[in-house]
Amino acid sequence: MFIQTESTPNPATLKFLPGQTVLEVGTADFPTAEAAEKSPLASRIFTVDGVTGVFFGNDFVTVTKSADVQWDHIKPAILGTVMQHYQSGQPVMVSDATTASGHAEHTGEDAEVVNQIKDLLDSRVRPAVAQDGGDITFHGFDRGVVYLHMQGACAGCPSSTLTLKMGIENLLRHYIPEVTEVRPVAV
């Protein structure tokens, strides 16, 4: 098994590509070791000293490290852990675990606008963000303000504010006049 790695815009996060499907559907975010209990793979990765977050996409795993640890010191251990997991035959997620499809539900008078927002996020934003090892999902819409949740490499990324304001906000405002602003939320 050959696992490739790619840097992300977030210097604290590295993207690991195991060359096979990680999740069939959706994403899974593990901001803590406790949250990783439903994933044998995420639990294994958290045993590496310095790991502070794990995120799964369709064909990648992103790992976030603490600031006081260098990638040169933990990258070999993470690669070994991922390889060991896939060779063990264990599942990535336990059978009763659910993955996130992403967007929060929204009903009410703004349902049509919200559907347009979700469509633009799915077609234009999320594929690009996945390339960088993260995900951005719809969290809410209130009086022109779109609330988005950032995960994986996007969470805590130094360029995330610029991505939200200059990229996503401009895109949504261009196509959907009802949108006036985009703000991040922590879930």
Side-chain angles (χ1 to χ4, degrees):
M1 175 178 213
F2 179 71
I3 302 169
Q4 296 180 36
T5 59
E6 292 179 2
S7 59
T8 71
N10 184 347
T13 303
L14 199 58
K15 184 175 175 181
F16 293 81
L17 299 145
Q20 51 191 286
T21 301
V22 177
L23 287 181
E24 293 287 338
V25 176
T27 60
D29 190 23
F30 307 100
T32 64
E34 293 75 31
E37 292 175 358
K38 293 199 177 267
S39 170
L41 175 56
S43 294
R44 281 183 191 221
I45 294 171
F46 269 107
T47 65
V48 177
D49 283 339
V51 171
T52 61
V54 178
F55 179 80
F56 298 154
N58 174 260
D59 63 349
F60 66 88
V61 174
T62 55
V63 178
T64 304
K65 67 170 187 67
S66 61
D68 60 335
V69 175
Q70 299 300 312
W71 278 118
D72 292 346
H73 297 138
I74 67 169
K75 182 178 166 182
I78 295 168
L79 286 166
T81 299
V82 172
M83 190 174 300
Q84 199 176 46
H85 173 81
Y86 277 101
Q87 291 174 341
S88 76
Q90 279 191 298
V92 170
M93 304 286 286
V94 293
S95 59
D96 66 338
T98 56
T99 58
S101 63
H103 305 305
E105 292 299 316
H106 184 90
T107 57
E109 62 189 52
D110 297 323
E112 188 176 319
V113 171
V114 168
N115 285 336
Q116 289 177 327
I117 292 167
K118 289 179 181 181
D119 286 346
L120 277 171
L121 289 173
D122 287 343
S123 64
R124 302 242 180 153
V125 176
R126 293 178 80 189
V129 172
Q131 293 261 310
D132 287 337
D135 198 10
I136 294 178
T137 57
F138 174 82
H139 186 75
F141 179 73
D142 184 34
R143 290 184 228 131
V145 179
V146 177
Y147 296 92
L148 300 177
H149 178 59
M150 303 175 90
Q151 300 172 302
C154 296
C157 178
S159 62
S160 65
T161 302
L162 187 63
T163 299
L164 271 181
K165 290 295 181 187
M166 301 307 292
I168 300 167
E169 184 176 290
N170 286 344
L171 174 79
L172 292 177
R173 287 174 65 189
H174 176 77
Y175 287 102
I176 307 168
E178 293 86 351
V179 173
T180 58
E181 186 181 358
V182 173
R183 294 183 191 163
V185 295
V187 175

